[in-house]
Amino acid sequence: MATQEKGRAVAQSFEVHIRDTTTDPAVRAEAAILAAHRRLLAGLRPKTALLTELRLGHAAREQARAAVTDYCTGEVRRHLAATDQALYAPAAGAAETRLLIKALRATSSAVDARIDALASADATAAVAAAAQDVTGLLTVHLSVEEAVLLPALAALPGAALPLLAADFETLLEGGRLE
């Protein structure tokens, strides 16, 4: 189908999105956020397991400690910051989600504090405990985002989950929002 626009033919394009199916942009946005959660935990869990489940020699233990600390201070913190800026900030002012965002930010701060404890721990047991704490807290935190935050954002008037998810992915990739 074509229309005339100032003397030239312009093709019209229509996209059909069926709500709650894979063609729905909100469903795809949620899937992208869930995939980011899975990638984050998939990167963290094996690094934590090296410290907590294996009896490593000193050099290997130090290498494992450095890997989990680097991952937490880099990837995990970047993820938390991106989530705060792209998902929490838009929902923080709405009455429906204000308390939820306050709770999620408190949990995010607790994860961040455990990352600090991991980075500053000296003893092997303290390093392993801090790594387990980060992994456990983060797992629960992401579960709450999935079960409570994402449906709340999808239902929040004026919040477009596909746009929020795109901002989230931009920040995760190291970009900035304008």
Side-chain angles (χ1 to χ4, degrees):
M1 177 185 293
T3 61
Q4 288 293 94
E5 182 180 299
K6 296 191 181 190
R8 61 187 174 142
V10 178
Q12 289 183 339
S13 173
F14 296 99
E15 289 188 42
V16 176
H17 305 289
I18 301 169
R19 182 177 291 220
D20 297 329
T21 67
T22 57
T23 65
D24 184 343
V27 170
R28 290 195 309 250
E30 184 174 332
I33 294 169
L34 296 176
H37 287 179
R38 284 190 303 276
R39 283 190 306 271
L40 187 68
L41 291 174
L44 179 60
R45 286 180 175 146
K47 290 170 180 53
T48 300
L50 280 175
L51 287 173
T52 60
E53 296 175 19
L54 299 176
R55 298 180 136 238
L56 302 173
H58 179 72
R61 189 173 56 248
E62 286 304 310
Q63 196 172 27
R65 174 191 176 166
V68 75
T69 301
D70 289 348
Y71 190 80
C72 288
T73 58
E75 293 299 315
V76 173
R77 281 191 168 148
R78 182 175 20 265
H79 184 98
L80 294 173
T83 303
D84 189 78
Q85 188 175 352
L87 303 179
Y88 297 175
E96 302 95 314
T97 52
R98 188 173 297 125
L99 186 58
L100 171 61
I101 298 305
K102 187 175 181 177
L104 286 168
R105 283 180 168 159
T107 308
S108 182
S109 291
V111 171
D112 196 51
R114 295 313 300 157
I115 291 171
D116 287 341
L118 172 64
S120 65
D122 289 332
T124 301
V127 170
Q132 283 181 316
D133 288 350
V134 170
T135 302
L137 280 170
L138 186 62
T139 300
V140 171
H141 179 76
L142 296 177
S143 294
V144 172
E145 285 183 3
E146 293 170 9
V148 184
L149 176 65
L150 294 179
L153 284 173
L156 194 63
L161 190 57
L163 295 176
L164 299 175
D167 288 349
F168 173 69
E169 288 180 316
T170 296
L171 293 169
L172 281 182
E173 293 168 359
R176 295 185 323 188
L177 302 181
E178 296 180 24

Short mmCIF file of all heavy atoms in Angstrom, two decimals, residues 8 21 23 27 38 45 54 86 94 101 116 127 130 135:
data_model
loop_
_atom_site.label_atom_id
_atom_site.label_comp_id
_atom_site.label_asym_id
_atom_site.label_seq_id
_atom_site.Cartn_x
_atom_site.Cartn_y
_atom_site.Cartn_z
N ARG A 8 5.48 12.25 -4.15
CA ARG A 8 6.23 11.00 -4.27
C ARG A 8 5.50 9.89 -3.53
O ARG A 8 4.79 10.12 -2.56
CB ARG A 8 7.66 11.16 -3.77
CG ARG A 8 7.76 11.53 -2.34
CD ARG A 8 9.19 11.83 -1.94
NE ARG A 8 9.12 12.32 -0.58
CZ ARG A 8 9.97 12.05 0.35
NH1 ARG A 8 11.03 11.35 0.07
NH2 ARG A 8 9.83 12.51 1.56
N THR A 21 2.54 -12.12 23.56
CA THR A 21 3.20 -13.11 22.72
C THR A 21 4.60 -12.61 22.40
O THR A 21 4.96 -11.50 22.75
CB THR A 21 2.43 -13.35 21.39
OG1 THR A 21 2.51 -12.16 20.60
CG2 THR A 21 0.98 -13.72 21.65
N THR A 23 5.68 -11.44 19.80
CA THR A 23 5.68 -10.25 18.95
C THR A 23 5.44 -8.98 19.76
O THR A 23 5.64 -7.88 19.24
CB THR A 23 4.61 -10.34 17.84
OG1 THR A 23 3.31 -10.35 18.44
CG2 THR A 23 4.82 -11.56 16.97
N VAL A 27 6.93 -7.96 25.94
CA VAL A 27 7.40 -9.32 26.22
C VAL A 27 8.87 -9.45 25.83
O VAL A 27 9.67 -10.01 26.57
CB VAL A 27 6.53 -10.36 25.48
CG1 VAL A 27 7.14 -11.75 25.57
CG2 VAL A 27 5.11 -10.36 26.05
N ARG A 38 20.25 -13.54 33.83
CA ARG A 38 20.85 -14.87 33.71
C ARG A 38 22.34 -14.78 33.40
O ARG A 38 23.15 -15.53 33.96
CB ARG A 38 20.13 -15.68 32.62
CG ARG A 38 18.78 -16.22 33.05
CD ARG A 38 18.21 -17.21 32.05
NE ARG A 38 18.07 -16.69 30.70
CZ ARG A 38 17.04 -15.98 30.25
NH1 ARG A 38 16.04 -15.71 31.05
NH2 ARG A 38 17.01 -15.56 29.00
N ARG A 45 28.26 -17.07 39.56
CA ARG A 45 28.17 -18.34 40.30
C ARG A 45 29.41 -19.23 40.17
O ARG A 45 29.89 -19.75 41.19
CB ARG A 45 26.91 -19.08 39.90
CG ARG A 45 25.67 -18.44 40.50
CD ARG A 45 24.41 -19.16 40.11
NE ARG A 45 23.27 -18.57 40.80
CZ ARG A 45 22.07 -18.48 40.28
NH1 ARG A 45 21.82 -18.96 39.06
NH2 ARG A 45 21.09 -17.93 40.96
N LEU A 54 35.81 -25.57 46.26
CA LEU A 54 37.03 -26.30 45.94
C LEU A 54 38.13 -25.95 46.94
O LEU A 54 38.19 -24.84 47.45
CB LEU A 54 37.50 -25.95 44.52
CG LEU A 54 36.54 -26.28 43.39
CD1 LEU A 54 37.11 -25.80 42.07
CD2 LEU A 54 36.26 -27.78 43.33
N ALA A 86 17.94 3.09 34.80
CA ALA A 86 16.97 2.84 33.73
C ALA A 86 15.63 2.32 34.21
O ALA A 86 14.60 2.60 33.58
CB ALA A 86 17.56 1.85 32.72
N ALA A 94 6.41 7.25 41.27
CA ALA A 94 5.02 6.80 41.20
C ALA A 94 4.59 6.21 42.54
O ALA A 94 5.33 5.42 43.14
CB ALA A 94 4.85 5.78 40.09
N ILE A 101 10.60 0.41 45.03
CA ILE A 101 11.90 0.94 44.61
C ILE A 101 12.77 1.22 45.82
O ILE A 101 13.98 0.95 45.80
CB ILE A 101 11.72 2.21 43.73
CG1 ILE A 101 10.95 1.86 42.46
CG2 ILE A 101 13.07 2.85 43.42
CD1 ILE A 101 11.54 0.74 41.63
N ASP A 116 32.04 -4.54 48.75
CA ASP A 116 33.12 -3.85 49.48
C ASP A 116 33.80 -4.80 50.45
O ASP A 116 35.03 -4.81 50.57
CB ASP A 116 32.58 -2.63 50.23
CG ASP A 116 32.24 -1.47 49.31
OD1 ASP A 116 32.73 -1.43 48.16
OD2 ASP A 116 31.48 -0.58 49.76
N VAL A 127 36.66 -14.04 52.62
CA VAL A 127 36.50 -13.87 51.18
C VAL A 127 35.40 -14.79 50.67
O VAL A 127 34.50 -14.37 49.93
CB VAL A 127 37.84 -14.15 50.44
CG1 VAL A 127 37.62 -14.22 48.93
CG2 VAL A 127 38.87 -13.09 50.78
N ALA A 130 31.95 -13.57 51.92
CA ALA A 130 31.51 -12.38 51.21
C ALA A 130 31.05 -12.71 49.80
O ALA A 130 30.05 -12.18 49.32
CB ALA A 130 32.61 -11.32 51.20
N THR A 135 26.50 -13.40 46.03
CA THR A 135 25.75 -14.28 45.14
C THR A 135 24.34 -14.52 45.66
O THR A 135 23.37 -14.43 44.90
CB THR A 135 26.49 -15.62 44.95
OG1 THR A 135 27.79 -15.34 44.43
CG2 THR A 135 25.75 -16.54 43.99
#
